[in-house]
Amino acid sequence: MSTETTPAPEAEATTSAWEGFTPGTWTDHIDVRDFIQRNYTPYEGDDSFLSGPTDKTLRLWETLDKNYLAVEREKRVYDVDTKIPADVDAFPAGYICDEDDVIVGLQTDVPLKRAMMPNGGWRMVETAIKEAGKEADPDIRTIFTKYRKTHNDAVFDIYTPRIRAARSSHIITGLPDAYGRGRIIGDYRRVALYGVDKLIEEKQKDKDAVADKPFSEHWCRYREEHSEQIKALKKLKAMAAGYGFDISGPATTAKEAVQWTYFGYLASVKSQDGAAMSIGRLSGFFDCYFERDFARGILTEEEAQEIIDALVIKLRIVRFLRTIAYDQIFSGDPYWATWSDAGFGEDGRTLVTKTSFRLLQTLMNLGPAPEPNITIFWSPRLPEGYKKFCARVSIETSSVQYEADEQIRERWGDDAAIACCVSPMRVGKQMQFFGARVNAAKALLYAINGGRDEVSGKQIVPGHEPVEGDGPLDFDDVWNRYEQMLDWVVATYVEALNIIHYCHDRYAYEAMEMALHDSEIVRTMGCGIAGLSIVADSLSAIKYAKVTPVRDETGLVVDYVTEGEFPVYGNDDDRADDIAATIVHTIMSKIKAIPMYRDAIPTQSVLTITSNVVYGKATGAFPSGHEAGTPFAPGANPENGMDTHGMLASMLSVGKLDYNDALDGISLTNTIVPSSLGRTEDEQITNLVGIMDAGFIKKG
């Protein structure tokens, strides 16, 4: 008697969808990295194969610009839906232009219309609605002020007096206590590779695997969160069905792979308004499908580029309902849809594919744009044709970011991606509790003034004595005071973060994004500092020059007279650069000493891509000569105008910061006038590649 069984229809459909791919552990377990490693095609050629925009792409972009983007530029906000709280399946299908939409799906039913996400906090939602010229629906207000507690409500129920004082004085700014925390990258590729039914099945298995374990808080939360994730996946299927797509099974073509993946991402931005909603690492994954379709003869290069262009258009029009105050903190309305690319695999092969080129080509086909935040994992060993194309696109568009591939891969593996600007994590296996930044520069002024705020004069930090006398400041005395002040500031900061993320998990849990993660994940607590260069230069001035404090009538130090020369950070001078490295190490050491929510691993970033302006407005004058109320330098940049030895010297200074002390990332923003790189385009490209290679060889 035969023992053969007929495969289930679902199994046959999956086998058909995977036909032509090399099998591996990914066929039996959810493992996108294994799929990519076994199936992608490294590309070491140049950009000559690329295609320009199709007529359909140009018509779609023109429709958007004329009918929607132009209105938004004039009004700030195109439109707001005030009736429907956002969710994965809250809105009917929406299109830009029916006949030209290659990849479909909008956050609401109309392009650029913003949705309410009141689970984070009603106050911010209502303020944003009013600033957009509309009125909040009274029934929705009642629900989220009387019946449904929000994340923001919970946070302020728990906040301590010292957190409130630190928050109001701006020594800690930008805390995610009234909006989504972000910096969680769902592995959106899983939707395309496995289909939603398989993801639901695996989540149910994981939930039931602990059913017989004894009761504990972890047990309860684990099962509840998995239930929420399963519900989100079912909503994802319903949302896609509204657009006419059945995503229960794996994608069968390259276009479907991109569409399925985008549906996963779209579901996330429909349901969460995180400060950074990065999309992950997609090019190698998509390229597997493109190459298979090329081999089958069912895809042309023009069509492949059109698909990537269409996806990027969708990423460019994601919008969240934000207040004007939020926009001021982040200098605009970014959401950091970071798309990470390139680098090397752990086996030594380049991860550059033809789709890596196609992604950069969108900046040429559609014009420059900040979203998606294209981030290249750079190495001097990258294929020469790709490095030159990156340099050319950078010169022509100013829209590319670079990260150190070797350092990221060494610590986070070869399937890591950037969340926000510089925060690396393993896709689908790790998430971050985002923590804004502490004003490390203002903390130095507090140390000198004994905890009094140099702007308001209020006593913010109790129990500290100010520097006395009118004589020059002593470096050792100031440093000791600074360390003591940092104890209070860091403890207050981490306490706030622990409270925020406890409340966020309870009242604004990211079920959709977490459904596209493993069931057991690594969590990091993403702490950060602002004002590094100002502290380094000010301490250097105190150490190597003569700094005399200037007091007001109450004895508060409000300015400084600095006499003599002193080394400044950012010019490859160890005297100043070592001070900067010591500051970063000292703060990280204090962060590590404090218990973290859900046993998160503490990390630190040196990052203020945008909020450096807000920090500067709330901070006084410094011994370095930095004037009160003026913007900080961004990230780990040298102080504005103080780096006099060129871009490479600043890269070398930043490279001296120990990455182990700032595993959440270190940011350096450089501006170069293209003509300064050479007279011809070839010279400019060659010289920019040379600068990049030199900087990254030295651990930039």
Side-chain angles (χ1 to χ4, degrees):
M1 185 174 68
S2 174
T3 58
E4 292 183 5
T5 59
T6 302
E10 296 85 357
E12 287 185 342
T14 296
T15 301
S16 175
W18 291 347
E19 186 179 349
F21 289 137
T22 301
T25 58
W26 67 270
T27 55
D28 299 313
H29 306 282
I30 293 177
D31 189 344
V32 179
R33 178 192 175 273
D34 182 66
F35 166 78
I36 295 170
Q37 288 292 311
R38 293 178 186 275
N39 290 284
Y40 86 99
T41 304
Y43 180 68
E44 301 197 7
D46 61 20
D47 60 322
S48 58
F49 73 94
L50 287 168
S51 177
T54 63
D55 290 342
K56 186 180 291 187
T57 297
L58 293 174
R59 285 197 305 269
L60 191 69
W61 192 235
E62 183 181 3
T63 297
L64 263 174
D65 189 56
K66 181 179 178 181
N67 297 333
Y68 302 100
L69 292 168
V71 177
E72 183 182 67
R73 286 192 292 268
E74 181 181 344
K75 296 172 55 180
R76 178 180 167 267
V77 173
Y78 175 79
D79 195 9
V80 178
D81 190 293
T82 62
K83 300 287 186 182
I84 305 172
D87 202 351
V88 174
D89 58 351
F91 289 91
Y95 301 88
I96 301 171
C97 182
D98 288 352
E99 62 272 20
D100 289 335
D101 268 2
V102 175
I103 299 298
V104 301
L106 299 176
Q107 282 175 289
T108 58
D109 56 338
V110 176
L112 305 187
K113 183 197 283 186
R114 304 180 191 222
M116 299 180 292
M117 296 191 181
N119 289 341
W122 177 252
R123 178 179 53 83
M124 178 176 275
V125 167
E126 186 161 31
T127 300
I129 289 172
K130 288 180 178 179
E131 290 174 348
K134 294 205 163 194
E135 289 296 323
D137 184 284
D139 293 335
I140 302 297
R141 181 192 295 113
T142 299
I143 291 170
F144 286 94
T145 57
K146 185 175 181 180
Y147 299 113
R148 208 286 187 184
K149 190 170 187 176
T150 68
H151 160 58
N152 183 246
D153 293 334
V155 167
F156 277 86
D157 281 349
I158 304 173
Y159 267 172
T160 60
R162 73 177 189 175
I163 294 174
R164 288 174 177 264
R167 193 178 182 274
S168 63
S169 69
H170 304 288
I171 198 163
I172 304 172
T173 296
L175 292 168
D177 51 18
Y179 59 92
R181 57 193 167 194
R183 293 203 186 174
I184 299 174
I185 308 174
D187 190 355
Y188 306 110
R189 306 166 301 186
R190 295 182 183 190
V191 180
L193 185 57
Y194 296 105
V196 176
D197 284 355
K198 175 66 173 176
L199 301 181
I200 292 173
E201 177 188 331
E202 292 300 313
K203 286 295 178 182
Q204 189 65 52
K205 286 181 183 177
D206 291 336
K207 177 185 175 182
D208 292 341
V210 302
D212 297 328
K213 290 191 175 184
F215 175 88
S216 68
E217 183 178 348
H218 173 75
W219 180 88
C220 284
R221 176 157 51 189
Y222 182 91
R223 286 184 55 79
E224 182 183 27
E225 287 182 349
H226 275 70
S227 292
E228 292 301 311
Q229 292 171 21
I230 291 167
K231 292 174 186 175
L233 288 168
K234 291 177 178 178
K235 290 178 181 179
L236 168 60
K237 276 183 64 175
M239 182 266 287
Y243 284 96
F245 289 92
D246 178 4
I247 62 172
S248 57
T252 61
T253 66
K255 185 176 178 181
E256 283 189 356
V258 175
Q259 180 68 70
W260 270 225
T261 301
Y262 172 62
F263 275 144
Y265 182 74
L266 179 62
S268 294
V269 297
K270 277 175 170 283
S271 55
Q272 285 291 334
D273 63 342
M277 299 292 287
S278 301
I279 198 166
R281 192 167 184 145
L282 303 180
S283 294
F285 177 73
F286 288 156
D287 204 74
C288 297
Y289 287 88
F290 283 133
E291 289 298 317
R292 187 180 67 166
D293 281 5
F294 286 137
R296 290 171 166 177
I298 61 173
L299 187 72
T300 66
E301 180 57 43
E302 185 180 62
E303 291 168 336
Q305 185 65 54
E306 183 178 73
I307 292 169
I308 297 298
D309 286 346
L311 175 59
V312 167
I313 286 173
K314 288 295 191 292
L315 299 181
R316 289 188 180 190
I317 61 171
V318 169
R319 296 291 187 272
F320 293 113
L321 182 60
R322 307 291 200 195
T323 63
I324 292 173
Y326 179 97
D327 290 356
Q328 289 172 344
I329 290 174
F330 295 104
S331 298
D333 188 19
Y335 78 103
W336 289 288
T338 305
W339 182 327
S340 304
D341 208 346
F344 282 85
E346 292 170 9
D347 62 2
R349 292 183 298 163
T350 179
L351 289 167
V352 172
T353 64
K354 284 188 173 182
T355 301
S356 302
F357 280 81
R358 294 178 187 116
L359 174 62
L360 291 172
Q361 180 69 8
T362 65
L363 293 167
M364 314 295 273
N365 287 355
L366 303 173
E371 305 289 2
N373 178 18
I374 297 175
T375 298
I376 306 302
F377 288 177
W378 187 274
S379 166
R381 298 190 296 117
L382 285 174
E384 200 64 26
Y386 184 68
K387 290 199 295 184
K388 288 183 176 179
F389 189 58
C390 285
R392 181 161 79 87
V393 173
S394 288
I395 289 167
E396 293 190 24
T397 70
S398 298
S399 298
V400 185
Q401 176 176 291
Y402 298 93
E403 306 273 349
D405 175 63
E406 182 178 343
Q407 297 202 51
I408 291 172
R409 177 167 30 86
E410 185 179 284
R411 291 166 178 82
W412 312 105
D414 60 8
D415 197 38
I418 299 298
C420 189
C421 303
V422 295
S423 305
M425 59 189 66
R426 297 175 188 264
V427 178
K429 300 180 180 299
Q430 182 180 340
M431 62 87 74
Q432 183 194 103
F433 295 136
F434 165 58
R437 279 155 289 280
V438 66
N439 191 334
K442 196 176 185 74
L444 178 64
L445 303 184
Y446 276 30
I448 293 170
N449 278 311
R452 286 181 70 192
D453 189 90
E454 75 286 354
V455 177
S456 69
K458 293 179 180 179
Q459 187 73 42
I460 302 298
V461 185
H464 291 259
E465 294 297 324
V467 172
E468 296 182 350
D470 297 324
L473 297 174
D474 176 76
F475 176 81
D476 291 334
D477 177 61
V478 171
W479 176 258
N480 288 334
R481 291 173 184 272
Y482 186 49
E483 275 218 72
Q484 293 172 24
M485 184 57 62
L486 286 174
D487 287 335
W488 185 94
V489 172
V490 169
T492 304
Y493 176 42
V494 175
E495 182 178 72
L497 298 185
N498 283 334
I499 291 169
I500 287 167
H501 294 296
Y502 167 81
C503 295
H504 205 294
D505 277 348
R506 292 190 69 189
Y507 297 101
Y509 179 65
E510 300 91 341
M512 188 65 253
E513 290 159 274
M514 298 312 298
L516 300 174
H517 280 71
D518 291 353
S519 289
E520 295 289 353
I521 61 168
V522 173
R523 294 177 177 86
T524 61
M525 184 70 78
C527 305
I529 60 171
L532 173 64
S533 58
I534 298 172
V535 188
D537 289 354
S538 293
L539 288 171
S540 177
I542 295 169
K543 185 173 185 177
Y544 294 104
K546 178 183 175 182
V547 177
T548 306
V550 177
R551 301 177 186 274
D552 68 8
E553 63 278 3
T554 69
L556 184 72
V557 176
V558 294
D559 206 349
Y560 302 86
V561 176
T562 300
E563 302 171 84
E565 299 293 325
F566 58 94
V568 294
Y569 165 73
N571 292 293
D572 196 19
D573 187 321
D574 287 345
R575 294 174 296 169
D577 297 345
D578 287 349
I579 292 174
T582 300
I583 294 163
V584 175
H585 177 74
T586 299
I587 295 175
M588 189 66 232
S589 297
K590 294 181 184 299
I591 292 170
K592 284 181 178 179
I594 304 172
M596 300 285 162
Y597 170 64
R598 292 187 85 163
D599 297 321
I601 299 168
T603 60
Q604 179 177 214
S605 65
V606 187
L607 169 69
T608 46
I609 292 293
T610 50
S611 53
N612 51 302
V613 176
V614 172
Y615 276 114
K617 286 182 179 178
T619 307
F622 285 87
S624 64
H626 184 95
E627 297 179 359
T630 58
F632 289 4
N637 272 52
E639 177 71 325
N640 298 318
M642 302 293 270
D643 51 329
T644 59
H645 288 58
M647 177 177 170
L648 184 56
S650 69
M651 292 178 75
L652 296 176
S653 287
V654 173
K656 294 173 191 175
L657 303 178
D658 190 341
Y659 185 48
N660 291 308
D661 290 327
L663 289 173
D664 195 40
I666 303 169
S667 164
L668 172 64
T669 305
N670 271 309
T671 301
I672 309 172
V673 178
S675 60
S676 68
L677 290 168
R679 290 173 295 178
T680 67
E681 183 182 62
D682 286 344
E683 283 182 359
Q684 293 171 3
I685 290 171
T686 299
N687 289 335
L688 182 54
V689 168
I691 291 171
M692 296 282 290
D693 282 349
F696 280 99
I697 285 173
K698 295 292 185 178
K699 296 188 177 181

